[in-house]
């Protein structure tokens, strides 16, 4: 097909369209921007003839030259081409369309070297093509001896559309953006408003929200000032007259010791006293007729006083072997069957008597959970029997040293005074929460993991 039918001189329309499709496929398969630029300035000749081509970018200057793998940016020719491209970019029409350029369109300083470097006719094509509202970031120049036809411009526009689409896709794939599309710029500026960024920003802000550092520990209701009853003598407990948690009055019998040994010793003491008294009376009668036995009376009188003291002590032991309540209250002790028949020593704790409304919270705080607690720190006890109604309390004291518990672990003993009406019996157990000083939420969450990591790495 001839040029009269719309095709470039020497090129048929069908051949130009086939070359256009082939170049489009070639551009989509490019692996780098350098390869794309090389295809644009060198392989576009398969669609239409030209002498040379230049790919110019605002940020880099000359990006590609036909016939060269790598343009020399410091060469005189490169400096002149960059000056021409900058002038054409400033003088381009508002619609950003392709236009034919000759030396007459340039200032005299740039027009003089034209004949030395270029043929007569050049075609200026801004990139990205077909977007009047989008600022151009690059342009391509095709130069040849023959004038440019309108059909050639249309085919060039189509080819540049496909080439630019391939370049944008490559930039997305590699994470580099060489365009300044306002829509894309706005999208990047507002990318932090996307749900992912909003969630991340919310988490960062939430991480620094101040919360009270709190720890959990087992707690129990215990008497605040119980009256402790200890073994008054060495012996074996014989029986209990009360049951655990029973309410008693003053003077009510609580428990007693086995009196068999004490009773036998008491009988011996009584007999010894009677014998000493009989000896004293006999010597007293003899002293009336025999003055020589009178000195024995003083010795026998002292023996009688000794036997009387032993008898009084044993009678007191018999009385103390029956323990009574010194005050009213609730009796607190373990299973009576564990005490009956058990030998105890004097001073050993047997039971305690507490007032029903005089209770407080005892907490065992593990060593790993020990935090700085201020005086009167808030405490809540969630009883296992009533977990939805916590007891409010204030920290009364915290032990300075940890002690071993029955399970073999070490813990600090804490006592807290109940500030809300209790109405619960002594002995109820639950979980206590002790509140410390305010800290960032991230520290509250990561405190235990950080402590574990430090213990593991030793730093």
């Amino acid at each position: 097909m001839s040029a009269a039918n719309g095709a470039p001189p020497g090129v048929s329309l069908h051949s130009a369209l086939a070359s256009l499709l082939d170049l489009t496929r070639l551009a989509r398969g490019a692996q780098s921007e350098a390869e794309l630029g090389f295809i644009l300035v060198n392989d576009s000749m398969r669609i239409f003839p030209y002498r040379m081509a230049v790919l110019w970018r605002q940020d880099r200057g000359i990006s590609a030259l036909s016939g060269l793998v790598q343009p020399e940016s410091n060469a005189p020719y490169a400096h002149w081409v960059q000056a021409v491209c900058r002038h054409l970019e400033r003088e381009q029409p508002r619609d950003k369309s392709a236009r034919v350029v000759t030396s007459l369109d340039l200032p005299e300083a740039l027009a003089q070297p034209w004949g030395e470097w270029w043929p007569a006719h050049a075609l200026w094509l801004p990139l990205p093509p077909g977007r009047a509202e989008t600022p151009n970031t690059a342009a391509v120049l095709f130069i040849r001896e023959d004038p440019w036809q309108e059909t050639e411009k249309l085919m060039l526009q189509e080819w540049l559309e496909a080439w630019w689409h391939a370049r944008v896709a490559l930039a997305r794939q590699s994470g580099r953006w060489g365009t300044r599309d306002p829509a894309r710029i706005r999208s990047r500026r507002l990318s932090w408003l996307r749900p992912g960024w909003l969630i991340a920003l919310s988490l960062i802000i939430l991480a620094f929200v101040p919360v009270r550092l709190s720890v959990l520990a087992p707690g129990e209701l215990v008497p605040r000032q119980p009256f402790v009853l200890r073994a008054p003598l060495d012996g074996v407990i014989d029986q209990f007259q009360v049951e655990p948690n029973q309410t008693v009055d003053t003077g009510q019998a609580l428990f007693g010791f086995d009196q068999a040994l004490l009773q036998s010793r008491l009988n011996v003491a009584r007999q010894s006293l009677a014998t000493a008294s009989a000896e004293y009376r006999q010597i007293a009668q003899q002293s009336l007729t025999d003055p020589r036995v009178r000195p024995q009376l003083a010795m026998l009188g002292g023996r009688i006083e000794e036997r009387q003291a032993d008898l009084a002590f044993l009678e007191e032991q018999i009385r103390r072997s029956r323990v009574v309540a010194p005050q009213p209250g609730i009796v607190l002790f373990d299973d009576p069957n564990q005490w009956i028949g058990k030998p105890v020593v004097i001073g050993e704790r047997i039971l305690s008597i507490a007032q029903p409304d005089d209770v407080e919270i005892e907490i065992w705080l593990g060593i790993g959970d020990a935090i700085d607690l201020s005086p009167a720190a808030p405490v809540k006890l969630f009883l296992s029997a009533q977990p939805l109604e916590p007891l409010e309390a204030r920290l009364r004291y915290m032990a300075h040293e940890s002690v071993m518990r029955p399970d073999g672990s070490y813990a600090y003993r804490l006592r807290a005074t109940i500030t809300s009406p209790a109405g619960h019996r002594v002995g109820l157990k639950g979980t206590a929460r002790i509140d410390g000083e305010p800290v960032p939420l991230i520290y509250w969450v990561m405190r235990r993991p950080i402590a574990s990591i430090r213990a593991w790495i030793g730093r």
Side-chain angles (χ1 to χ4, degrees):
M1 185 175 293
S2 63
N5 292 328
V11 180
S12 65
L13 183 58
H14 292 288
S15 176
L17 291 175
S19 299
L20 176 60
L21 294 176
D22 187 55
L23 286 177
T24 301
R25 178 189 57 79
L26 189 63
R28 287 197 301 265
Q31 300 297 319
S32 64
E33 290 191 9
E35 183 179 354
L36 270 175
F38 185 87
I39 294 173
L40 180 63
V41 298
N42 291 282
D43 293 344
S44 299
M45 193 174 294
R46 295 163 57 180
I47 303 177
F48 55 86
Y50 57 86
R51 175 68 64 85
M52 58 186 62
V54 178
L55 176 60
W56 175 81
R57 291 179 56 169
Q58 287 182 345
D59 55 346
R60 297 183 184 178
I62 298 178
S63 180
L65 284 175
S66 59
L68 296 177
V69 177
Q70 182 65 36
E72 178 60 43
S73 59
N74 294 322
Y77 173 70
H79 285 289
W80 179 78
V81 171
Q82 290 187 23
V84 171
C85 292
R86 283 195 295 268
H87 174 77
L88 294 177
E89 194 273 334
R90 288 192 303 267
E91 300 297 331
Q92 68 182 358
R94 291 178 176 269
D95 58 359
K96 312 291 180 65
S97 59
R99 63 191 183 107
V100 177
V101 180
T102 63
S103 59
L104 300 178
D105 299 316
L106 300 178
E108 183 177 356
L110 296 177
Q112 288 181 356
W114 182 293
E116 180 181 355
W117 301 112
W118 283 354
H121 302 280
L123 183 61
W124 171 264
L125 297 165
L127 294 173
R131 300 179 184 179
E133 74 284 356
T134 304
N136 300 116
T137 60
V140 61
L141 271 170
F142 294 104
I143 309 100
R144 69 181 187 185
E145 293 82 357
D146 299 326
W148 293 95
Q149 306 296 324
E150 190 65 27
T151 305
E152 295 175 327
K153 294 181 183 180
L154 295 177
M155 294 187 66
L156 282 173
Q157 291 285 353
E158 188 66 27
W159 159 231
L160 289 182
E161 286 280 354
W163 182 88
W164 184 257
H165 184 273
R167 183 175 182 274
V168 171
L170 181 64
R172 289 177 179 173
Q173 182 179 1
S174 60
R176 300 186 305 272
W177 294 90
T179 64
R180 297 187 180 273
D181 190 345
R184 187 175 299 129
I185 294 174
R186 288 193 299 270
S187 176
R188 294 181 62 185
R189 288 176 180 174
L190 299 179
S191 60
W192 63 274
L193 293 177
R194 295 175 182 172
W197 284 103
L198 289 177
I199 294 175
L201 183 61
S202 300
L203 291 178
I204 293 175
I205 296 175
L206 187 63
F208 292 94
V209 172
V211 296
R212 277 192 176 272
L213 181 62
S214 61
V215 290
L216 300 178
E220 179 183 2
L221 290 179
V222 297
R224 189 171 66 90
Q225 292 181 338
F227 189 93
V228 179
L229 288 173
R230 303 181 183 276
L233 48 85
D234 296 339
V236 177
I237 296 179
D238 182 33
Q239 60 180 341
F240 274 86
Q241 282 78 31
V242 293
E243 297 293 333
N245 299 327
Q246 178 180 335
T247 302
V248 297
D249 297 325
T250 303
Q252 182 175 345
L254 300 178
F255 61 93
F257 286 81
D258 185 3
Q259 298 181 354
L261 179 60
L262 291 175
Q263 192 65 43
S264 64
R265 290 173 61 187
L266 179 63
N267 294 333
V268 172
R270 287 174 177 172
Q271 187 65 35
S272 298
L273 178 60
T275 301
S277 298
E279 291 180 357
Y280 181 83
R281 288 192 299 271
Q282 181 181 2
I283 297 299
Q285 291 177 359
Q286 292 179 2
S287 65
L288 296 175
T289 59
D290 189 0
R292 293 176 299 179
V293 298
R294 288 179 180 177
Q296 298 181 13
L297 292 177
M299 181 184 65
L300 292 175
R303 184 179 299 175
I304 290 175
E305 292 179 356
E306 181 181 353
R307 296 294 183 268
Q308 288 176 346
D310 290 341
L311 180 60
F313 174 75
L314 291 173
E315 289 177 346
E316 179 64 19
Q317 291 292 86
I318 290 291
R319 185 188 64 80
R320 297 178 65 184
S321 66
R322 290 292 179 258
V323 182
V324 297
Q327 67 179 29
I330 299 176
V331 180
L332 304 176
F333 67 103
D334 295 334
D335 185 6
N337 296 325
Q338 296 181 358
W339 287 101
I340 296 176
K342 177 182 178 181
V344 296
V345 296
I346 185 171
E348 184 175 352
R349 179 171 179 169
I350 306 299
L351 54 81
S352 60
I353 299 177
Q355 300 300 321
D357 55 348
D358 188 21
V359 296
E360 65 180 1
I361 302 174
E362 183 181 61
I363 305 168
W364 291 98
L365 184 61
I367 296 179
D369 292 325
I371 61 176
D372 293 334
L373 296 174
S374 60
V379 177
K380 284 188 177 182
L381 177 63
F382 298 86
L383 295 173
S384 301
Q386 293 181 344
L388 300 180
E389 298 179 4
L391 297 179
E392 304 285 344
R394 290 286 178 177
L395 185 66
R396 183 164 66 86
Y397 85 92
M398 176 178 179
H400 292 282
E401 295 183 358
S402 60
V403 296
M404 180 181 290
R405 302 196 64 196
D407 60 358
S409 62
Y410 283 84
Y412 295 95
R413 186 197 300 269
L414 282 70
R415 288 293 182 98
T417 303
I418 298 176
T419 58
S420 60
H424 301 288
R425 67 175 181 84
V426 174
L428 293 180
K429 300 179 183 294
T431 301
R433 189 188 74 185
I434 309 101
D435 294 332
E437 298 297 329
V439 295
L441 180 60
I442 185 66
Y443 178 79
W444 183 84
V445 174
M446 298 300 296
R447 182 181 66 88
R448 292 300 296 271
I450 292 175
S452 301
I453 293 174
R454 290 191 61 185
W456 181 67
I457 64 178
R459 293 185 180 180

